[in-house]
Amino acid sequence: MQINNAYLAEVYQKVEKRNPGEKEFLQAVGEVLESLVPVIEKRPDLVSSGVVERLVEPERFIQFRVAWTDDSGKVQVNRGFRVQYNSAIGPYKGGLRFHPSVCSSVIKFLGFEQIFKNSLTGLPMGGGKGGSDFDPKGKSDNEVMRFCQAFMTELQKYIGPDTDVPAGDIGVGAREIGFLFGQYKRIRDEFSGVLTGKGLTYGGSLARTQATGYGLCYFTDNMLKKKGDSFVGKKVVISGSGNVAIYACEKATQLGAKVVAMSDSNGYVYDANGINLAVVKQIKEVERGRIKEYAARVPGAVYTEGKGIWNIKCDIALPCATQNELNGDDAKALIANGVKYVAEGANMPSTPEAIELFLANGIYFGPAKAANAGGVATSGLEMSQNSMRLSWTFEEVDEKLCGIMKNIFENASAAAKEYAQEDNLVAGANIAGFLKVAEAMKAQGVL
Ligand code: NDP
């Protein structure tokens, strides 16, 4: 971590002292503070109003017990979290993650990043995030329902359509959102837009399911166009095979690329003919199975157990699985194989070393905060539709999403040009996201 500004370095040291051992969280804060050096040097007013010290400390952090009974009658206990990080520009907004790796560090890193991402969308949404160390994998529908009901029984005390609006994330898809929404409605006796990612029969928005993956490709398309290039004929590698990865694969293919590999936490498949997405959807969305099964169903496809997806030659890499899944060695392998563009669908999938290598080697890099903001942007559109009690068509939502991703790209590029180098979208996204929140915090006084 190299923060070349005494004030920002001191803020970082305080965060380190207050949050010992929280490595994901410290990594996320460090990266943002590093980018803010040129802004803070130009804006002493932001120092005197204590904006940065306030921004790194969550407004509220809630941790609670979730007790539920499994199918064998055994009592299970999980830990639930919600961080309400910053409400300067709107109600807290951010997903819920159900995964065994969930802990306070992961929730705080995600909540912190969410502040800037939501700000970049141009919509009035503050930053929040939540989840549990519960693992939906291998659980029956009834177990997932009982868990979601127990989780929401506690969470409902803290959320509301004008206060905090959670959504899905890893392990929280349409099934979980349905159970969570049902329990909120039952306890609060209120049918409202308290969650996004809802089913279409009860207030969901068309195109929300596709939004993060599609948005990632729209963002990447803007990067390509900037270089006078396009998706047509490009080889793409996408990690993960969840919601983001599937719809990134769909849109990249529609835009003329060939996606040659996808993965899950066990291994990856390589298909030189281009991934057959209908097979992936059947395995992942319908059967909740493993990516390994793809190779058994598609002639010519090869499955490899374990990591290694980034050794595959490609023009465009889209990491869409999880944090820190692409390290320095992976970045070196990608660069050696001639990758030209990397854009992040997952949150913080590239390690700081990997990002440094991409930037130093002239790889055009789209950071998560900007590149994957399409999901939350469309959640914002779902909130608008719920408030107005109407629904837009798929095409209307998709068109708005495409416009939002273009704006995010342009705003991040403009901020990068003003404060760093034009192609440094890491700095650009952090700075553009920060400035809007900082002005709002300053205007609202010391809170
Ligand atoms: P899903 O749960 O639908 O899919 C996650 C995918 O990543 C699965 O293929 C999963 O494999 C894989 N994965 C999870 N953990 C690991 C790991 N430790 N190592 C390797 N692979 C792993 O989640 P989403 O697609 O919704 O989310 C993916 C990423 O995108 C996350 O970082 C999320 O925060 C981010 N994101 C999601 C948004 C959304 O709208 N859904 C919005 C913005 C960001 P397996 O099945 O084996 O666990």
Short mmCIF file of all heavy atoms in Angstrom, two decimals, residues 97-99 101 109-110 114 117 129 137 168-172 208-209 211-213 239-246 263-267 284 289-290 307 319-323 325 345-349 368 372-376 379, ligand 1:
data_model
loop_
_atom_site.label_atom_id
_atom_site.label_comp_id
_atom_site.label_asym_id
_atom_site.label_seq_id
_atom_site.Cartn_x
_atom_site.Cartn_y
_atom_site.Cartn_z
N ARG A 97 -25.20 -11.40 0.70
CA ARG A 97 -24.40 -12.54 0.24
C ARG A 97 -24.54 -13.69 1.24
O ARG A 97 -24.31 -13.48 2.44
CB ARG A 97 -22.93 -12.13 0.12
CG ARG A 97 -22.03 -13.29 -0.27
CD ARG A 97 -20.59 -12.84 -0.48
NE ARG A 97 -20.44 -11.98 -1.64
CZ ARG A 97 -19.25 -11.65 -2.17
NH1 ARG A 97 -18.15 -12.09 -1.63
NH2 ARG A 97 -19.20 -10.86 -3.23
N PHE A 98 -24.92 -14.87 0.74
CA PHE A 98 -24.94 -16.06 1.59
C PHE A 98 -23.81 -16.97 1.12
O PHE A 98 -23.90 -17.62 0.07
CB PHE A 98 -26.28 -16.81 1.47
CG PHE A 98 -27.48 -16.10 2.04
CD1 PHE A 98 -28.77 -16.58 1.79
CD2 PHE A 98 -27.35 -14.97 2.86
CE1 PHE A 98 -29.89 -15.94 2.31
CE2 PHE A 98 -28.47 -14.32 3.37
CZ PHE A 98 -29.74 -14.80 3.10
N HIS A 99 -22.75 -17.06 1.90
CA HIS A 99 -21.59 -17.88 1.52
C HIS A 99 -20.79 -18.13 2.80
O HIS A 99 -20.70 -17.25 3.65
CB HIS A 99 -20.74 -17.13 0.47
CG HIS A 99 -19.69 -17.97 -0.19
ND1 HIS A 99 -18.42 -18.10 0.30
CD2 HIS A 99 -19.74 -18.75 -1.30
CE1 HIS A 99 -17.73 -18.91 -0.48
NE2 HIS A 99 -18.50 -19.32 -1.46
N SER A 101 -17.81 -17.93 3.41
CA SER A 101 -16.69 -17.01 3.63
C SER A 101 -17.14 -15.65 4.19
O SER A 101 -16.31 -14.78 4.46
CB SER A 101 -15.94 -16.78 2.32
OG SER A 101 -16.82 -16.16 1.39
N PHE A 109 -15.93 -4.59 3.32
CA PHE A 109 -15.28 -4.25 2.04
C PHE A 109 -16.35 -4.04 0.97
O PHE A 109 -16.31 -3.08 0.19
CB PHE A 109 -14.23 -5.32 1.66
CG PHE A 109 -14.46 -6.07 0.37
CD1 PHE A 109 -14.45 -5.42 -0.86
CD2 PHE A 109 -14.66 -7.45 0.38
CE1 PHE A 109 -14.66 -6.13 -2.04
CE2 PHE A 109 -14.87 -8.15 -0.79
CZ PHE A 109 -14.88 -7.49 -2.01
N LEU A 110 -17.33 -4.93 0.95
CA LEU A 110 -18.37 -4.82 -0.09
C LEU A 110 -19.21 -3.56 0.11
O LEU A 110 -19.54 -2.86 -0.85
CB LEU A 110 -19.25 -6.07 -0.08
CG LEU A 110 -18.58 -7.36 -0.57
CD1 LEU A 110 -19.39 -8.59 -0.17
CD2 LEU A 110 -18.38 -7.33 -2.09
N GLN A 114 -19.50 -0.32 -2.36
CA GLN A 114 -20.85 -0.03 -2.86
C GLN A 114 -21.16 1.47 -2.84
O GLN A 114 -21.90 1.97 -3.69
CB GLN A 114 -21.87 -0.79 -1.99
CG GLN A 114 -23.23 -0.94 -2.62
CD GLN A 114 -23.31 -2.06 -3.65
OE1 GLN A 114 -22.81 -3.14 -3.41
NE2 GLN A 114 -23.93 -1.80 -4.78
N LYS A 117 -19.72 2.83 -6.09
CA LYS A 117 -20.41 2.25 -7.24
C LYS A 117 -21.79 2.88 -7.40
O LYS A 117 -22.18 3.30 -8.48
CB LYS A 117 -20.56 0.74 -7.00
CG LYS A 117 -21.17 0.00 -8.16
CD LYS A 117 -21.46 -1.44 -7.80
CE LYS A 117 -20.21 -2.13 -7.31
NZ LYS A 117 -20.40 -3.58 -7.17
N LYS A 129 -24.44 -3.24 2.56
CA LYS A 129 -24.24 -4.63 2.13
C LYS A 129 -24.56 -5.53 3.32
O LYS A 129 -24.53 -5.08 4.46
CB LYS A 129 -22.77 -4.84 1.72
CG LYS A 129 -22.55 -6.06 0.88
CD LYS A 129 -22.83 -5.83 -0.59
CE LYS A 129 -22.81 -7.13 -1.37
NZ LYS A 129 -22.92 -6.91 -2.83
N LYS A 137 -25.79 -24.01 -0.71
CA LYS A 137 -25.47 -25.21 -1.50
C LYS A 137 -25.78 -26.48 -0.71
O LYS A 137 -25.40 -26.59 0.46
CB LYS A 137 -23.98 -25.21 -1.84
CG LYS A 137 -23.71 -24.75 -3.24
CD LYS A 137 -22.28 -25.03 -3.64
CE LYS A 137 -21.60 -23.76 -4.06
NZ LYS A 137 -20.33 -23.49 -3.52
N GLY A 168 -29.87 -9.13 -4.08
CA GLY A 168 -29.13 -10.38 -4.09
C GLY A 168 -27.64 -10.17 -4.28
O GLY A 168 -27.16 -9.07 -4.53
N ASP A 169 -26.90 -11.23 -4.12
CA ASP A 169 -25.46 -11.28 -4.41
C ASP A 169 -25.13 -12.77 -4.45
O ASP A 169 -26.04 -13.60 -4.65
CB ASP A 169 -24.66 -10.53 -3.32
CG ASP A 169 -23.19 -10.35 -3.68
OD1 ASP A 169 -22.89 -9.59 -4.61
OD2 ASP A 169 -22.32 -10.99 -3.04
N ILE A 170 -23.88 -13.14 -4.22
CA ILE A 170 -23.52 -14.56 -4.25
C ILE A 170 -24.45 -15.35 -3.31
O ILE A 170 -24.65 -14.97 -2.16
CB ILE A 170 -22.04 -14.76 -3.82
CG1 ILE A 170 -21.11 -14.18 -4.89
CG2 ILE A 170 -21.74 -16.24 -3.58
CD1 ILE A 170 -19.64 -14.33 -4.57
N GLY A 171 -25.03 -16.41 -3.81
CA GLY A 171 -25.87 -17.29 -2.99
C GLY A 171 -27.27 -16.75 -2.73
O GLY A 171 -28.07 -17.40 -2.06
N VAL A 172 -27.57 -15.55 -3.20
CA VAL A 172 -28.91 -14.99 -3.01
C VAL A 172 -29.46 -14.63 -4.39
O VAL A 172 -29.11 -13.60 -4.98
CB VAL A 172 -28.88 -13.76 -2.08
CG1 VAL A 172 -30.30 -13.19 -1.92
CG2 VAL A 172 -28.32 -14.13 -0.72
N ARG A 208 -33.53 -7.12 -14.70
CA ARG A 208 -32.67 -7.09 -13.51
C ARG A 208 -31.75 -8.32 -13.47
O ARG A 208 -30.57 -8.21 -13.13
CB ARG A 208 -33.50 -6.99 -12.21
CG ARG A 208 -32.64 -7.11 -10.92
CD ARG A 208 -31.60 -5.99 -10.83
NE ARG A 208 -30.64 -6.13 -9.74
CZ ARG A 208 -29.46 -6.73 -9.83
NH1 ARG A 208 -29.07 -7.30 -10.97
NH2 ARG A 208 -28.63 -6.76 -8.81
N THR A 209 -32.31 -9.48 -13.84
CA THR A 209 -31.50 -10.71 -13.81
C THR A 209 -30.28 -10.56 -14.73
O THR A 209 -29.18 -10.99 -14.39
CB THR A 209 -32.36 -11.89 -14.31
OG1 THR A 209 -33.54 -11.91 -13.50
CG2 THR A 209 -31.65 -13.22 -14.19
N ALA A 211 -28.90 -7.75 -15.69
CA ALA A 211 -28.30 -6.41 -15.68
C ALA A 211 -26.80 -6.34 -15.40
O ALA A 211 -26.09 -5.58 -16.06
CB ALA A 211 -29.04 -5.52 -14.68
N THR A 212 -26.31 -7.12 -14.43
CA THR A 212 -24.89 -6.96 -14.09
C THR A 212 -24.02 -7.48 -15.24
O THR A 212 -23.06 -6.83 -15.66
CB THR A 212 -24.55 -7.67 -12.77
OG1 THR A 212 -25.45 -7.20 -11.78
CG2 THR A 212 -23.13 -7.37 -12.34
N GLY A 213 -24.37 -8.66 -15.76
CA GLY A 213 -23.60 -9.24 -16.86
C GLY A 213 -23.71 -8.41 -18.13
O GLY A 213 -22.71 -8.14 -18.80
N SER A 239 -14.70 -16.04 -15.77
CA SER A 239 -14.69 -16.94 -14.61
C SER A 239 -16.05 -16.89 -13.94
O SER A 239 -16.78 -15.90 -14.04
CB SER A 239 -13.61 -16.53 -13.62
OG SER A 239 -13.88 -15.23 -13.15
N GLY A 240 -16.38 -18.00 -13.23
CA GLY A 240 -17.68 -18.11 -12.59
C GLY A 240 -18.70 -18.65 -13.57
O GLY A 240 -18.45 -18.71 -14.81
N SER A 241 -19.84 -19.06 -13.06
CA SER A 241 -20.95 -19.49 -13.91
C SER A 241 -22.24 -19.20 -13.17
O SER A 241 -23.22 -19.93 -13.25
CB SER A 241 -20.83 -20.98 -14.25
OG SER A 241 -20.57 -21.72 -13.07
N GLY A 242 -22.21 -18.12 -12.39
CA GLY A 242 -23.39 -17.67 -11.67
C GLY A 242 -24.12 -16.61 -12.46
O GLY A 242 -23.95 -16.48 -13.68
N ASN A 243 -24.89 -15.81 -11.76
CA ASN A 243 -25.73 -14.82 -12.41
C ASN A 243 -24.92 -13.87 -13.30
O ASN A 243 -25.25 -13.66 -14.47
CB ASN A 243 -26.51 -14.03 -11.34
CG ASN A 243 -27.24 -12.85 -11.91
OD1 ASN A 243 -26.76 -11.73 -11.85
ND2 ASN A 243 -28.40 -13.08 -12.51
N VAL A 244 -23.86 -13.30 -12.77
CA VAL A 244 -23.10 -12.31 -13.53
C VAL A 244 -22.42 -12.96 -14.74
O VAL A 244 -22.51 -12.46 -15.87
CB VAL A 244 -22.05 -11.61 -12.63
CG1 VAL A 244 -21.27 -10.58 -13.42
CG2 VAL A 244 -22.72 -10.96 -11.42
N ALA A 245 -21.78 -14.10 -14.50
CA ALA A 245 -21.02 -14.77 -15.56
C ALA A 245 -21.95 -15.20 -16.70
O ALA A 245 -21.63 -15.00 -17.89
CB ALA A 245 -20.31 -15.99 -14.97
N ILE A 246 -23.09 -15.76 -16.37
CA ILE A 246 -24.00 -16.27 -17.40
C ILE A 246 -24.46 -15.14 -18.34
O ILE A 246 -24.43 -15.27 -19.57
CB ILE A 246 -25.22 -16.96 -16.75
CG1 ILE A 246 -24.79 -18.33 -16.21
CG2 ILE A 246 -26.40 -17.10 -17.72
CD1 ILE A 246 -25.86 -19.10 -15.46
N SER A 263 -16.22 -21.13 -15.36
CA SER A 263 -15.74 -21.94 -14.23
C SER A 263 -16.75 -21.96 -13.09
O SER A 263 -17.77 -21.25 -13.13
CB SER A 263 -14.42 -21.36 -13.72
OG SER A 263 -14.62 -20.06 -13.20
N ASP A 264 -16.45 -22.74 -12.07
CA ASP A 264 -17.08 -22.56 -10.75
C ASP A 264 -15.99 -22.80 -9.71
O ASP A 264 -14.80 -22.87 -10.08
CB ASP A 264 -18.34 -23.42 -10.57
CG ASP A 264 -18.09 -24.90 -10.61
OD1 ASP A 264 -16.94 -25.32 -10.43
OD2 ASP A 264 -19.07 -25.65 -10.83
N SER A 265 -16.35 -22.93 -8.44
CA SER A 265 -15.28 -23.01 -7.44
C SER A 265 -14.54 -24.34 -7.48
O SER A 265 -13.52 -24.49 -6.81
CB SER A 265 -15.82 -22.71 -6.04
OG SER A 265 -16.89 -23.55 -5.76
N ASN A 266 -14.98 -25.30 -8.28
CA ASN A 266 -14.26 -26.57 -8.39
C ASN A 266 -13.28 -26.63 -9.57
O ASN A 266 -12.27 -27.32 -9.49
CB ASN A 266 -15.23 -27.75 -8.53
CG ASN A 266 -16.06 -27.93 -7.28
OD1 ASN A 266 -17.26 -27.75 -7.29
ND2 ASN A 266 -15.41 -28.25 -6.18
N GLY A 267 -13.60 -25.96 -10.67
CA GLY A 267 -12.75 -26.05 -11.85
C GLY A 267 -13.32 -25.25 -13.01
O GLY A 267 -14.25 -24.47 -12.82
N LYS A 284 -26.71 -24.77 -14.27
CA LYS A 284 -26.58 -23.85 -13.14
C LYS A 284 -27.91 -23.27 -12.66
O LYS A 284 -28.15 -23.19 -11.46
CB LYS A 284 -25.62 -22.70 -13.51
CG LYS A 284 -24.18 -23.15 -13.62
CD LYS A 284 -23.64 -23.50 -12.23
CE LYS A 284 -22.27 -24.10 -12.28
NZ LYS A 284 -21.78 -24.47 -10.93
N GLY A 289 -26.27 -27.52 -10.57
CA GLY A 289 -25.20 -28.53 -10.62
C GLY A 289 -23.81 -27.90 -10.74
O GLY A 289 -23.63 -26.70 -10.48
N ARG A 290 -22.83 -28.70 -11.15
CA ARG A 290 -21.45 -28.26 -11.24
C ARG A 290 -21.04 -28.05 -12.71
O ARG A 290 -21.52 -28.77 -13.60
CB ARG A 290 -20.50 -29.28 -10.58
CG ARG A 290 -20.92 -29.74 -9.19
CD ARG A 290 -21.17 -28.58 -8.24
NE ARG A 290 -20.01 -27.72 -8.05
CZ ARG A 290 -20.07 -26.45 -7.66
NH1 ARG A 290 -21.23 -25.87 -7.43
NH2 ARG A 290 -18.98 -25.76 -7.51
N LYS A 307 -7.91 -24.34 -10.06
CA LYS A 307 -7.75 -23.02 -10.68
C LYS A 307 -7.01 -23.15 -12.00
O LYS A 307 -6.57 -24.24 -12.35
CB LYS A 307 -6.96 -22.13 -9.72
CG LYS A 307 -7.74 -21.82 -8.45
CD LYS A 307 -6.91 -20.96 -7.51
CE LYS A 307 -7.49 -20.86 -6.12
NZ LYS A 307 -8.71 -20.15 -5.95
N PRO A 319 -13.39 -11.41 -15.15
CA PRO A 319 -13.53 -12.17 -13.89
C PRO A 319 -14.89 -11.90 -13.24
O PRO A 319 -15.18 -10.77 -12.87
CB PRO A 319 -12.37 -11.66 -13.03
CG PRO A 319 -11.94 -10.37 -13.63
CD PRO A 319 -12.36 -10.34 -15.06
N CYS A 320 -15.70 -12.94 -13.11
CA CYS A 320 -17.08 -12.77 -12.63
C CYS A 320 -17.42 -13.73 -11.49
O CYS A 320 -18.59 -14.06 -11.30
CB CYS A 320 -18.07 -13.01 -13.78
SG CYS A 320 -17.96 -11.79 -15.09
N ALA A 321 -16.42 -14.20 -10.73
CA ALA A 321 -16.72 -15.16 -9.65
C ALA A 321 -16.70 -14.49 -8.28
O ALA A 321 -17.75 -14.27 -7.67
CB ALA A 321 -15.75 -16.34 -9.71
N THR A 322 -15.50 -14.13 -7.79
CA THR A 322 -15.44 -13.66 -6.40
C THR A 322 -14.19 -12.81 -6.15
O THR A 322 -13.36 -12.65 -7.05
CB THR A 322 -15.50 -14.87 -5.45
OG1 THR A 322 -15.78 -14.44 -4.13
CG2 THR A 322 -14.20 -15.66 -5.45
N GLN A 323 -14.02 -12.32 -4.93
CA GLN A 323 -12.89 -11.43 -4.65
C GLN A 323 -11.55 -12.18 -4.68
O GLN A 323 -11.47 -13.34 -4.31
CB GLN A 323 -13.05 -10.72 -3.29
CG GLN A 323 -13.06 -11.59 -2.06
CD GLN A 323 -14.46 -12.02 -1.67
OE1 GLN A 323 -15.40 -11.83 -2.40
NE2 GLN A 323 -14.60 -12.61 -0.50
N GLU A 325 -9.76 -13.49 -6.95
CA GLU A 325 -9.67 -14.74 -7.72
C GLU A 325 -8.62 -14.64 -8.83
O GLU A 325 -8.35 -15.63 -9.51
CB GLU A 325 -11.03 -15.07 -8.34
CG GLU A 325 -11.59 -13.91 -9.18
CD GLU A 325 -12.63 -14.32 -10.20
OE1 GLU A 325 -12.36 -15.24 -10.96
OE2 GLU A 325 -13.70 -13.70 -10.22
N GLY A 345 -16.41 -8.20 -13.46
CA GLY A 345 -17.82 -8.42 -13.17
C GLY A 345 -18.04 -8.68 -11.70
O GLY A 345 -19.02 -8.23 -11.10
N ALA A 346 -17.11 -9.41 -11.08
CA ALA A 346 -17.20 -9.67 -9.63
C ALA A 346 -16.71 -8.43 -8.88
O ALA A 346 -16.18 -7.49 -9.48
CB ALA A 346 -16.35 -10.87 -9.27
N ASN A 347 -16.88 -8.43 -7.56
CA ASN A 347 -16.36 -7.35 -6.74
C ASN A 347 -14.94 -7.67 -6.31
O ASN A 347 -14.70 -8.73 -5.72
CB ASN A 347 -17.26 -7.16 -5.51
CG ASN A 347 -18.54 -6.43 -5.87
OD1 ASN A 347 -18.51 -5.43 -6.59
ND2 ASN A 347 -19.67 -6.94 -5.41
N MET A 348 -14.01 -6.77 -6.61
CA MET A 348 -12.59 -6.89 -6.24
C MET A 348 -11.99 -8.24 -6.62
O MET A 348 -11.29 -8.85 -5.82
CB MET A 348 -12.43 -6.64 -4.73
CG MET A 348 -11.09 -6.06 -4.33
SD MET A 348 -11.09 -5.43 -2.62
CE MET A 348 -11.04 -6.91 -1.64
N PRO A 349 -12.23 -8.75 -7.83
CA PRO A 349 -11.66 -10.05 -8.19
C PRO A 349 -10.15 -10.03 -8.42
O PRO A 349 -9.49 -11.04 -8.25
CB PRO A 349 -12.39 -10.40 -9.50
CG PRO A 349 -12.78 -9.10 -10.08
CD PRO A 349 -13.07 -8.19 -8.92
N ALA A 368 -14.21 -3.04 -10.98
CA ALA A 368 -15.53 -3.50 -10.61
C ALA A 368 -16.53 -2.37 -10.32
O ALA A 368 -17.66 -2.39 -10.80
CB ALA A 368 -15.42 -4.39 -9.37
N ASN A 372 -19.18 -3.24 -13.01
CA ASN A 372 -20.30 -4.10 -12.62
C ASN A 372 -21.46 -3.33 -11.97
O ASN A 372 -22.34 -3.92 -11.34
CB ASN A 372 -19.84 -5.29 -11.76
CG ASN A 372 -19.50 -4.90 -10.32
OD1 ASN A 372 -19.89 -3.85 -9.83
ND2 ASN A 372 -18.79 -5.77 -9.64
N ALA A 373 -21.47 -2.01 -12.17
CA ALA A 373 -22.51 -1.19 -11.53
C ALA A 373 -23.88 -1.35 -12.19
O ALA A 373 -24.88 -0.82 -11.69
CB ALA A 373 -22.09 0.28 -11.56
N GLY A 374 -23.96 -2.09 -13.28
CA GLY A 374 -25.23 -2.25 -13.97
C GLY A 374 -26.30 -2.94 -13.14
O GLY A 374 -27.50 -2.66 -13.29
N GLY A 375 -25.87 -3.83 -12.25
CA GLY A 375 -26.83 -4.54 -11.41
C GLY A 375 -27.52 -3.59 -10.46
O GLY A 375 -28.76 -3.52 -10.40
N VAL A 376 -26.72 -2.83 -9.74
CA VAL A 376 -27.33 -1.93 -8.76
C VAL A 376 -28.07 -0.79 -9.48
O VAL A 376 -29.09 -0.29 -8.98
CB VAL A 376 -26.30 -1.44 -7.72
CG1 VAL A 376 -25.35 -0.41 -8.29
CG2 VAL A 376 -27.02 -0.87 -6.50
N SER A 379 -31.31 -2.11 -10.16
CA SER A 379 -32.05 -2.15 -8.89
C SER A 379 -32.63 -0.78 -8.59
O SER A 379 -33.76 -0.67 -8.09
CB SER A 379 -31.12 -2.55 -7.74
OG SER A 379 -30.90 -3.93 -7.74
P1 NDP B 1 -23.58 -16.38 -7.95
O1 NDP B 1 -23.71 -16.98 -6.61
O2 NDP B 1 -24.70 -16.45 -8.90
O3 NDP B 1 -22.31 -17.02 -8.71
C1 NDP B 1 -21.03 -16.97 -8.16
C2 NDP B 1 -20.11 -17.77 -9.07
O4 NDP B 1 -18.77 -17.60 -8.62
C3 NDP B 1 -20.38 -19.24 -9.05
O5 NDP B 1 -20.03 -19.81 -10.28
C4 NDP B 1 -19.43 -19.73 -7.95
O6 NDP B 1 -19.08 -21.09 -8.03
C5 NDP B 1 -18.23 -18.86 -8.20
N1 NDP B 1 -17.48 -18.70 -6.95
C6 NDP B 1 -17.93 -18.27 -5.75
N2 NDP B 1 -16.96 -18.28 -4.84
C7 NDP B 1 -15.87 -18.75 -5.47
C8 NDP B 1 -14.54 -19.00 -5.07
N3 NDP B 1 -14.15 -18.80 -3.81
N4 NDP B 1 -13.68 -19.46 -6.01
C9 NDP B 1 -14.09 -19.67 -7.29
N5 NDP B 1 -15.34 -19.46 -7.72
C10 NDP B 1 -16.20 -19.01 -6.82
O7 NDP B 1 -23.11 -14.88 -7.71
P2 NDP B 1 -23.16 -13.64 -8.70
O8 NDP B 1 -22.92 -14.09 -10.10
O9 NDP B 1 -24.36 -12.85 -8.37
O10 NDP B 1 -21.91 -12.78 -8.18
C11 NDP B 1 -20.58 -12.98 -8.69
C12 NDP B 1 -19.74 -11.77 -8.31
O11 NDP B 1 -20.32 -10.58 -8.88
C13 NDP B 1 -19.62 -11.47 -6.81
O12 NDP B 1 -18.36 -10.91 -6.55
C14 NDP B 1 -20.70 -10.42 -6.59
O13 NDP B 1 -20.44 -9.63 -5.45
C15 NDP B 1 -20.55 -9.62 -7.87
N6 NDP B 1 -21.70 -8.80 -8.21
C16 NDP B 1 -22.94 -9.37 -8.41
C17 NDP B 1 -24.01 -8.58 -8.77
C18 NDP B 1 -25.34 -9.16 -9.12
O14 NDP B 1 -26.20 -8.41 -9.59
N7 NDP B 1 -25.56 -10.45 -8.96
C19 NDP B 1 -23.88 -7.11 -8.87
C20 NDP B 1 -22.54 -6.63 -8.73
C21 NDP B 1 -21.51 -7.47 -8.38
P3 NDP B 1 -19.76 -22.15 -7.02
O15 NDP B 1 -21.14 -22.37 -7.55
O16 NDP B 1 -18.87 -23.34 -7.11
O17 NDP B 1 -19.72 -21.52 -5.65
#
